[in-house]
Amino acid sequence: MNHKVYIHEFIDIIGSNRANYMHHMTANWGPIGRRERNQLCFGVWGTVGSTGAWPQVVNMWEEDGWAGLASSFRHELGHPTLQDPSLAEWWSRAAGFRRGGTDRIMVPAPWSRTITELCTDGVRGECYAHELISVRPGSAWDLLDRVQELAEPGYATFGLSLVGGWATAMRSDDEVLLLWASSSWEQWSTFEAARSSPAGADPWRKTLASFDAVLRRILLVDAPLAPLRTGRQPQASDAATYELPPV
């Protein structure tokens, strides 16, 4: 049973600063969040622009349940500036890489693994399929209950493995996120070719239709220091060992 709570972020990047921002979030923020807030980096990815918005980064952070999230919010917002004064320099640098974004609080399905479990299990992907699914209000958890039985076997046929599933909190139980790892671009392309065919709807596609679901799938690629790529949480020493490409 996974009792964590997650922050999911779509981040809009300024110009050619995506590599700078991803490094800033992993090597520079990851150790701080872990030390000061018991917050773990679940993932940092670059969006494949041909499948979604660009230039864009997706972040996910793993909080120690709702109580951990409340503690994290107090740590950040309990100041007149609504910002941790000790992080003023960090925020200023980050502001030069991004111009805004959209966040969600997400609650995992009971079967969804934590980032520590995923790293221990060796889950990896050359790319990831990020599926944000809108459903009828009140039905998000019902859909998540069917993922392992109906979606996972069909995706596994094409070599895609289930990373996790979440419902968006603080709204009408009408949105689900599924994340799948593909070990190669070729596996993904074979999967996508089959999904694009009008011939024969598989059980999962029929289930989505029965929920009046609207599925939006984009592709993601790990940041160099992301946990699902390295198998561990980013370390402060990574800031010195990883050289950013020239802008």
Side-chain angles (χ1 to χ4, degrees), residues 185-246:
W185 289 104
E186 290 75 18
Q187 283 187 336
W188 163 76
S189 66
T190 302
F191 162 80
E192 209 64 59
R195 297 294 292 179
S196 299
S197 170
D202 61 37
W204 180 240
R205 292 171 77 170
K206 292 179 180 178
T207 298
L208 290 174
S210 73
F211 278 77
D212 297 329
V214 177
L215 184 151
R216 300 170 181 85
R217 181 163 54 249
I218 61 174
L219 293 180
L220 309 176
V221 176
D222 276 319
L225 299 176
L228 291 179
R229 175 167 287 195
T230 64
R232 61 172 175 80
Q233 287 293 304
Q235 307 295 315
S237 59
D238 290 331
T241 58
Y242 177 72
E243 183 178 352
L244 284 170

